[in-house]
Amino acid sequence: MSKQRLTAIALWLAFLASGAYFAVAQTPVVTDLTAFLPRSDTSQTHRLLGELQQGPASRLVLIAIAGDTQEHSAALSKQLAADLRANPLFVRIANGERAKNLAGYERLLRYRYLLSPREDAQRFTTEALRSTLRQRLRELASPLGMLDKPLLASDPTGEARAMVGAWMGAGGPARRYGVWFTADGSRALLLVETRAAGFDIDVQQQVIDDVHAAFDAARTTHGGASDAKLELSGPAIFAVKSRDRIRGEAQLLSIAASVVVLIILVTAYRSARILLLGAAPLFTAITAGIAAVGAVFGHIHGITLAFGITLLGVAIDYPIHLFSHLRASYGVLNSLLRIWPTMRTGVLTSVVGYLAMTTTDFAGLTQLGLFAICGLLAAAATTRWVLPAVLPGHWAPHAQPPALATRLLRHLPAARSTQRTALTLWVVALAVLFVATPPVWESDLAALSPVPAAERQLDGHLRSELGAPEVTHLVVIRDGDVQAVLQRSEELSRRLQRLVDAGSIDGFDAPNIYLPSVVTQQRRQHSLPDATTLRRALDAAMQDTPFRRGSFEPFVAAVAESRSLAPLRPADLAGTPPGLRLESLLHAQEGTWTALVLLSGVRDHAGFAAWFAQQDVAGARYFDIKTETNRLVVEYRNAALARLAIGAALIVALLWPALRNAGRLLRVITPVGMAIVIDLLALTLLGERLSLFHLVSLLLVVGIGLDYSLFFSRPGDDRDTRARTLHAVLVCAGSTVAVFGILALSDIPVLHAIGTTVAIGVFATLAAAMVLAPQPEASARNNSH
């Protein structure tokens, strides 16, 4: 073996080893669909989504216990809540048990009169205190009240409970057996907040495992034979399930596609050597694609990784062209050099097409484009320099063109009348597509979610029952002064509460719930009575009660201390459960403070938007995230279509110097144009709503179609060479259609869209290229184009 061959093999192995290490060890997989939202300097939506991903709404886990009696479900709810409260992964566990809400909030009890939403000074009058004390006596007579006994002397008015109740959402669903249930009583409900962000998938996987383990332990504790089942929902649950579904389908589809390609190669060549060598460009392509994306982005999206299996149907084309055109009389290198200019032009046109994706504002689509470009270049380079180095110098799988290709070549339509008929049918298809049945575009990003509709419906039901905040409706308040932001949040909260009372919305979550403004805290301090006044009112209120004089001196002292406490500021809540929620709803960036007010149960979106427009809250803006993201998707789709048109023009500009013939250029691009129209028409008739991923797939169809057209349109090919070309293209198309056909079976909308579009488009391209191909020359001619 020559030194040049050894060098090529050594460099390839080194690249493969280093790339594989980087791809496996240094490139984590993520599944967040916001990667497929546009980044826009003129819109705040992407920034808001990033903030919401770290916010409390993303950390909520909605839990339901169904399938058992209400009494048993309530017992399981209490046991499950008790176990989860001891788990450091959680910062809040709410299931409606009033007696357990103070756990974890002791540090802020000193400030309860500043933080409690109660501001009515009348609650400290003799009559109000007498009513309160009698209520406490009734509670002390029950087991529930005994749990509050340690706070009775210092907080007889229940200020701490009011404070924590506001943080926990004191209203909540209806209670049965002391815990929350759905309105129909079929499910016991819990609301859990995790310490980690909702899209920290590894931690959230542990959260899910811990919840299931605690539930199983609770079932064992309460008999073990229960029919109860656990239902989990929320952003974190969706993120984990999406990762698992994408990963599982990618593995399954990769195996299925590999098997199909293996069968096709065995049938076409009947050579173990080709099976081994054909895999080299493929594995190199996938390794290069993952490593490149990891190097640029620091991670790879699960959809991008799943898209990598599509290279099974594309990267394998390059070695197939080589194997089918090998002739022992020419030698491996000379056979390759005869087709290399055509192959190189096909590779470059595909790369130009995918360059349009790398310039988008979608990180996910940029990853897809980068993956495809690096993968195709790696596959082509491996075919050009590595395969000739490892193949015997004059080896060929077939001495003569395969008989099937030779017979099929004789039956291919060549008459101009046949080609005119094909073009006429294409014009008809074009008219039907754009006049009778124009394509319908999908602008709703939720339709691309890998989460099944049934699970999304369950999430909506549980969220409505619990009154949990949504991530689709929110108000953003910005100002340079944090106190101004908090005061505006307070004003907006008062107005929103009126909508809650009227039933227009279910609820809201705002930063002032966890930390009132300094002005509000000071107003609450001023409403507190002095020690002498409070003591006098208490003494009068305790008459005719079992309480002894002086029993509530800790209460008097606490109120007196609260009158002189320094108001709390955001940094003072750090490390506490409400502090964690506050950090997600109130933060500073580049000198500007931002408050997020999350809304739940907005029934009339347009009506709320009209109401908000009349509120005139300075620095506040209402966002309907769904509407906003859909608008951005539409805007980007229009920009992407224009960019794709530019890409098509660049491809034509690239083809002209390579072909140097207007007639041949027309023969190359016409089959691709016909295939695109047929593809779009077929998708429309199948009821597909076209998305950005269909556009991505059409780029792939263009690249593959140009490859077929370039080989079919080569001038000077004799019948022997044309038969070999036909054999190569049939094997390429067969493997591509098979691989993408398997992808079309996926339940993940993005993968289904890619698979369906490419499978139909490649088949249409093959048919059009074969029909429009020129007749081969009668005798052999040396051709290098």
Side-chain angles (χ1 to χ4, degrees):
M1 185 174 291
S2 68
K3 182 178 180 181
Q4 186 177 5
R5 287 190 172 192
L6 288 173
T7 300
I9 295 173
L11 290 175
W12 173 67
L13 290 175
F15 171 81
L16 203 59
S18 59
Y21 169 77
F22 191 85
V24 173
Q26 304 295 321
T27 308
V29 179
V30 301
T31 57
D32 175 19
L33 266 182
T34 58
F36 292 92
L37 280 178
R39 297 183 300 267
S40 176
D41 294 333
T42 61
S43 172
Q44 302 179 62
T45 303
H46 195 277
R47 176 182 173 184
L48 284 175
L49 287 171
E51 295 169 345
L52 290 173
Q53 285 178 352
Q54 305 299 321
S58 76
R59 297 198 297 263
L60 291 181
V61 178
L62 316 178
I63 302 178
I65 300 174
D68 208 335
T69 64
Q70 291 181 4
E71 184 176 5
H72 200 184
S73 295
L76 291 174
S77 172
K78 294 174 183 177
Q79 183 64 52
L80 177 60
D83 291 345
L84 295 182
R85 287 189 182 102
N87 190 320
L89 292 178
F90 304 99
V91 297
R92 180 167 68 127
I93 310 294
N95 69 335
E97 291 183 275
R98 292 187 176 93
K100 305 294 179 65
N101 285 347
L102 296 182
Y105 295 88
E106 296 84 352
R107 174 179 161 188
L108 296 174
L109 290 180
R110 181 186 179 195
Y111 297 90
R112 57 188 178 274
Y113 293 101
L114 279 68
L115 299 176
S116 168
R118 297 177 177 177
E119 295 188 37
D120 184 10
Q122 296 301 310
R123 69 189 188 278
F124 297 110
T125 64
T126 298
E127 289 302 318
L129 288 172
R130 180 180 294 116
S131 176
T132 297
L133 292 178
R134 288 174 179 174
Q135 175 63 29
R136 300 299 286 177
L137 283 172
R138 288 191 292 269
E139 291 175 357
L140 285 170
S142 70
L144 180 64
M146 293 301 294
L147 293 171
D148 274 336
K149 190 173 181 178
L151 289 176
L152 178 59
S154 61
D155 189 19
T157 61
E159 216 72 33
R161 189 157 305 281
M163 174 185 72
V164 176
W167 295 340
M168 300 287 289
R175 289 179 174 85
R176 305 178 189 223
Y177 296 95
V179 300
W180 287 336
F181 269 84
T182 55
D184 60 6
S186 63
R187 292 179 171 94
L189 300 173
L190 297 91
L191 189 63
V192 173
E193 184 175 346
T194 64
R195 190 174 301 277
F199 294 93
D200 188 343
I201 295 183
D202 291 335
V203 176
Q204 294 300 340
Q205 179 66 69
Q206 185 62 50
V207 164
I208 294 174
D209 294 342
D210 287 0
V211 171
H212 279 285
F215 179 71
D216 292 340
R219 289 183 59 185
T220 302
T221 301
H222 292 276
S226 170
D227 294 327
K229 64 177 181 178
L230 193 67
E231 297 175 333
L232 303 179
S233 190
I237 308 301
F238 289 165
V240 172
K241 288 186 175 181
S242 295
R243 179 196 63 179
D244 293 343
R245 288 193 70 211
I246 292 173
R247 180 181 293 171
E249 289 218 17
Q251 293 174 349
L252 180 62
L253 294 172
S254 296
I255 294 172
S258 299
V259 170
V260 169
V261 171
L262 181 67
I263 293 173
I264 292 175
L265 292 180
V266 168
T267 303
Y269 297 105
R270 304 182 186 278
S271 169
R273 174 179 287 166
I274 282 183
L275 293 181
L276 294 174
L277 296 180
L282 171 64
F283 289 131
T284 307
I286 294 177
T287 300
I290 297 175
V293 171
V296 173
F297 292 90
H299 62 266
I300 186 169
H301 198 281
I303 289 175
T304 305
L305 185 60
F307 180 76
I309 71 170
T310 64
L311 290 180
L312 284 165
V314 181
I316 197 69
D317 287 4
Y318 305 139
I320 286 175
H321 282 304
L322 173 62
F323 297 147
S324 291
H325 286 88
L326 285 176
R327 301 189 191 186
S329 59
Y330 289 169
V332 170
L333 185 58
N334 286 332
S335 296
L336 173 63
L337 292 178
R338 288 168 57 86
I339 63 171
W340 175 246
T342 303
M343 187 185 300
R344 179 183 60 205
T345 301
V347 172
L348 293 178
T349 54
S350 296
V351 167
V352 168
Y354 279 108
L355 279 174
M357 290 171 56
T358 62
T359 61
T360 71
D361 289 326
F362 286 68
L365 293 184
T366 303
Q367 283 195 12
L368 290 177
L370 180 63
F371 191 108
I373 289 173
C374 295
L376 294 179
L377 289 175
T382 304
T383 302
R384 171 61 180 86
W385 285 283
V386 177
L387 293 188
V390 297
L391 282 170
H394 288 272
W395 180 84
H398 304 294
Q400 298 295 329
L404 175 63
T406 303
R407 289 196 300 270
L408 183 60
L409 183 63
R410 288 198 297 266
H411 292 87
L412 283 181
R416 292 186 178 274
S417 59
T418 304
Q419 295 179 348
R420 284 196 297 269
T421 300
L423 290 173
T424 301
L425 292 176
W426 175 70
V427 172
V428 172
L430 188 65
V432 171
L433 176 63
F434 290 103
V435 178
T437 57
V440 178
W441 292 97
E442 179 60 79
S443 301
D444 185 1
L445 196 70
L448 304 178
S449 171
V451 179
E455 295 182 14
R456 296 200 300 269
Q457 290 173 358
L458 174 64
D459 182 79
H461 176 65
L462 296 182
R463 196 171 293 277
S464 176
E465 292 280 358
L466 284 162
E470 302 167 1
V471 294
T472 54
H473 300 279
L474 72 155
V475 176
V476 179
I477 306 173
R478 301 190 192 277
D479 195 278
D481 178 27
V482 64
Q483 294 304 316
V485 168
L486 285 172
Q487 289 178 47
R488 292 169 191 169
S489 178
E490 290 170 342
E491 176 59 31
L492 180 62
S493 294
R494 285 190 287 271
R495 302 180 190 183
L496 289 174
Q497 186 58 49
R498 291 195 285 269
L499 293 184
V500 174
D501 296 340
S504 300
I505 63 174
D506 288 341
F508 60 92
D509 198 13
N512 60 283
I513 293 175
Y514 308 98
L515 179 66
S517 67
V518 168
V519 170
T520 297
Q521 293 180 61
Q522 290 173 338
R523 185 174 66 247
R524 291 173 180 174
Q525 286 178 310
H526 295 156
S527 72
L528 298 174
D530 58 53
T532 301
T533 303
L534 180 59
R535 189 177 291 111
R536 184 184 309 116
L538 265 175
D539 289 343
M542 285 191 295
Q543 293 179 9
D544 301 326
T545 71
F547 297 117
R548 294 193 304 269
R549 184 182 179 88
S551 297
F552 295 105
E553 278 303 310
F555 169 50
V556 176
V559 172
E561 180 191 30
S562 297
R563 287 167 54 88
S564 60
L565 288 173
L568 291 172
R569 300 179 185 273
D572 298 321
L573 269 64
T576 66
L580 181 62
R581 294 172 64 79
L582 181 67
E583 290 172 3
S584 304
L585 296 173
L586 180 70
H587 57 271
Q589 185 175 10
E590 298 178 356
T592 299
W593 283 89
T594 299
L596 304 180
V597 180
L598 307 181
L599 309 173
S600 62
V602 180
R603 293 173 176 80
D604 182 358
H605 302 173
F608 182 86
W611 172 87
F612 183 82
Q614 300 174 355
Q615 300 311 299
D616 192 26
V617 178
R621 179 181 175 187
Y622 167 61
F623 281 89
D624 181 344
I625 295 297
K626 179 180 174 66
T627 301
E628 184 73 6
T629 53
N630 291 349
R631 180 186 63 80
L632 290 176
V633 168
V634 171
E635 289 181 358
Y636 174 71
R637 183 186 69 217
N638 295 334
L641 287 170
R643 189 177 282 112
L644 291 177
I646 295 174
L650 291 175
I651 288 175
V652 173
L654 180 66
L655 286 173
W656 175 253
L659 302 179
R660 303 186 186 90
N661 183 285
R664 189 183 174 196
L665 176 63
L666 189 62
R667 287 195 301 270
V668 168
I669 63 175
T670 298
V672 178
M674 294 175 66
I676 294 297
V677 171
I678 295 170
D679 199 353
L680 290 173
L681 179 59
L683 291 172
T684 301
L685 295 177
L686 288 172
E688 293 276 335
R689 297 176 65 91
L690 304 186
S691 69
L692 291 169
F693 296 97
H694 291 92
L695 294 181
V696 172
S697 304
L698 290 176
L699 276 175
L700 194 54
V701 171
V702 169
I704 295 172
L706 288 174
D707 181 70
Y708 297 169
S709 294
L710 284 167
F711 272 94
F712 272 131
S713 67
R714 294 198 312 161
D717 280 355
D718 58 20
R719 298 194 67 84
D720 182 88
T721 301
R722 180 60 59 80
R724 294 178 183 274
T725 296
L726 179 59
H727 178 263
V729 172
L730 288 174
V731 175
C732 291
S735 61
T736 301
V737 171
V739 168
F740 283 93
I742 292 172
L743 202 64
L745 301 177
S746 173
D747 291 330
I748 298 176
V750 171
L751 299 183
H752 171 77
I754 294 174
T756 304
T757 306
V758 176
I760 295 173
V762 168
F763 183 83
T765 299
L766 173 66
M770 291 172 62
V771 169
L772 299 180
Q775 281 290 91
E777 299 289 339
S779 58
R781 293 166 62 178
N782 190 358
N783 172 53
S784 61
H785 296 284

